[in-house]
DNA sequence: TGCTTATATTGCAATATTCATATATAAAGA
DNA sequence: TCTTTATATATGAATATTGCAATATAAGCA
């Protein structure tokens, strides 16, 4: 063993944190929220209509993105405007898109693949 | 509405697929597996020892990475050697690290933050 | 103060994920 | 063939995540 287990906690801790971060991106609605914030801050009300989801559902997902420091909310009067904290996030999404493109499949195939991967339609 | 709902399925489908992809990275062990494959293919047996996990647990997580086209396994005799399909994955991890660095916190703080974000230690 | 609008949070049932044990499969050797 | 070794898969219990409905909070207005 190069490193005794007692000293491996750092690498493992980093892995835990990284995975927490990716978890923030591991939900369709959260991806759509981030995409909706590409061009700057958007109000919750606006988001709710654009994404066509329940208000409480949106608020919950926003809370997750907040707790992972991905978005930040600015309160103005009764409204709250959300924006992305670090635009490097978009690069992350773009690199991800690149990985998809490398796989040379289109969205239709992606969906079919999705269903295979998850053992059939839910 | 700019786009009627019936035509929004593509963006939503892409979001679903992206989130599936990030789900693959949303687990500490899977991150560690990917990291372990940075320098080329590694046998399952070797991985199992390096990562210090149950054989079946490792095999299950490898199956997830396989089903999402992130790794591929090459069988040689009784052994199976895994490798990363597309090295763009590593760029993804590197950009993620950059996001962490932008937050200007160290691993210790990350862990503390983890516990707050998840509502306390598990 | 009471009313309305915007957002957040709580409670809870449904669903999904994880991990270990046990079992299956497949290759190699005796 | 029987045995061993390597890997994969099935089963099931524990845990985590999700999304809706209901409720709370907070700001602005009558």
């Amino acid at each position: 063993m190069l490193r005794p287990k007692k000293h491996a906690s750092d690498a493992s801790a980093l892995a835990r944190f990284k995975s927490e971060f990716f978890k923030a991106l591991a939900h369709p609605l959260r991806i759509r929220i981030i995409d909706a914030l590409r061009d700057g801050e958007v109000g919750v009300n606006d988001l709710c209509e654009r994404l066509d989801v329940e208000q409480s559902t949106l608020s919950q997902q926003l809370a997750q993105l907040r707790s992972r420091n991905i978005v930040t909310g600015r309160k103005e009067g009764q409204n709250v405007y959300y924006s992305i904290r670090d635009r490097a996030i978009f690069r992350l999404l773009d690199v991800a898109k690149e990985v998809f493109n490398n796989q040379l499949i289109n969205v239709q195939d992606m969906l079919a693949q999705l269903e295979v991967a998850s053992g059939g339609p839910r």
Side-chain angles (χ1 to χ4, degrees), chain A:
Chain A
M1 254 194 274
L2 280 178
R3 294 204 226 180
K5 227 171 288 181
K6 287 177 181 172
H7 296 214
S9 66
D10 254 26
S12 168
L14 189 54
R16 272 207 286 154
F17 191 76
K18 281 186 183 173
S19 72
E20 277 300 313
F21 173 75
F22 285 118
K23 232 178 254 182
L25 306 177
H27 192 280
L29 182 53
R30 293 195 295 266
I31 292 279
R32 292 206 292 147
I33 291 171
I34 294 171
D35 269 333
L37 300 180
R38 283 232 183 212
D39 301 326
E41 68 176 17
V42 179
V44 173
N45 226 341
D46 195 355
L47 262 185
C48 207
E49 283 177 12
R50 279 208 233 173
L51 304 180
D52 187 39
V53 286
E54 284 289 323
Q55 179 269 322
S56 67
T57 299
L58 176 60
S59 205
Q60 281 162 8
Q61 302 306 328
L62 283 171
Q64 290 199 37
L65 292 173
R66 244 187 298 128
S67 78
R68 307 204 211 256
N69 278 324
I70 299 204
V71 302
T72 185
R74 177 179 67 84
K75 188 157 193 172
E76 183 184 313
Q78 330 178 50
N79 303 312
V80 178
Y81 297 91
Y82 276 88
S83 57
I84 297 293
R85 260 175 183 280
D86 180 351
R87 299 193 57 86
I89 296 286
F90 296 123
R91 257 194 296 145
L92 214 58
L93 292 185
D94 293 341
V95 175
K97 181 181 283 181
E98 195 182 320
V99 174
F100 304 156
N101 291 343
N102 288 351
Q103 292 183 189
L104 296 171
I105 58 182
N106 62 34
V107 174
Q108 294 311 311
D109 291 341
M110 285 175 184
L111 285 182
Q113 193 172 334
L114 249 190
E115 299 191 344
V116 171
S118 62
R122 297 126 194 251

